[in-house]
């Protein structure tokens, strides 16, 4: 396995952080884990420190305040790249991204620059979502795909693997989206850098502990920004080489 770093951003994930780290360590024992905590008031950062003390493969990056998912990932990418990791993984702390499916994504990353865990390709699925949540997610992906001329099916999904090569080509200093729009912005930069982007089917599971940070206002703001990008020509002028799904054997 390449030198892999699994990045887990946290904000008030006290009930989830221990179990999710344990599942990651069991699924990919050779990988390292970086918890990026945005000064959670519920004590998540303290629990992260305890995990670090008990496992040399676990690290923590304490941020001073809650500044958005994108800011957390960008700082974590810089941390990982400066330490020579070959593969950097995005994974949610709430259990919606199954660590048990990470080996399949990493296998696909052996021949791809960017691997996206996809809910909306054949074999992908969502568990425990009401119809309106599913419609909102699929609708956001379809709208973004059309207006930005993207080929990928799940443009808002956050379970991803980036190669070191990809992140160095993507001009991360130009990423200015910190919230829900961050995943779309990252994909758009990957496409514009003509990277090989592959989607692998995953099962997305709604969280059972803690509260979701998603809201209608956040989605509306993201779609407004996507619309602006489309109208001002930021969309992909020529799509990167892409595949709808990878045959991972799992």
């Amino acid at each position: 396995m390449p030198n892999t770093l699994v990045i887990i951003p946290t904000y008030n994930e006290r009930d989830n952080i221990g179990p999710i780290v344990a599942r990651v360590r069991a699924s990919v024992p050779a990988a390292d884990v970086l918890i990026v905590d945005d000064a959670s008031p519920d004590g998540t950062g303290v629990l992260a420190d305890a995990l670090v003390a008990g496992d040399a493969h676990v690290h923590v990056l304490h941020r001073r305040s809650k500044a958005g998912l994108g800011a957390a990932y960008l700082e974590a990418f810089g941390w990982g790249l400066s330490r020579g990791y070959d593969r950097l993984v995005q994974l949610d702390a709430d259990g919606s991204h199954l660590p048990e499916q990470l080996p399949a994504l990493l296998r696909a990353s052996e021949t791809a620059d960017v691997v996206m865990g996809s809910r909306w390709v054949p074999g992908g699925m969502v568990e425990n979502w009401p119809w309106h949540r599913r419609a909102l997610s699929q609708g956001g992906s379809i709208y973004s795909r059309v207006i930005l001329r993207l080929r990928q099916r799940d443009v808002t999904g956050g379970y991803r693997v980036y190669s070191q090569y990809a992140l160095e080509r993507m001009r991360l200093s130009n990423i200015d989206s910190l919230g829900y729009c961050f995943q779309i912005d990252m994909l758009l930069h990957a496409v514009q850098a003509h990277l090989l982007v592959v989607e692998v089917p995953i099962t997305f599971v709604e969280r059972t502990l803690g509260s979701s940070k998603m809201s209608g206002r956040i989605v509306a703001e993201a779609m407004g920004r996507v619309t602006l990008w489309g109208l001002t020509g930021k969309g992909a002028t020529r799509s990167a080489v892409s595949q709808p799904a990878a045959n991972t054997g799992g």
Side-chain angles (χ1 to χ4, degrees), residues 138-182:
Q138 284 185 299
S141 274
I142 292 170
Y143 180 76
S144 300
R145 287 171 57 202
V146 171
I147 198 167
L148 298 177
R149 300 179 294 283
L150 294 166
R151 296 180 181 178
Q152 293 74 26
R153 299 289 298 275
D154 192 350
V155 303
T156 62
Y159 198 0
R160 299 182 180 181
V161 182
Y162 292 97
S163 69
Q164 176 188 14
Y165 171 80
L167 291 174
E168 290 174 346
R169 289 283 303 276
M170 286 168 57
R171 298 182 180 179
L172 297 182
S173 61
N174 292 335
I175 302 282
D176 60 359
S177 305
L178 303 182
Y180 183 72
C181 209
F182 172 73

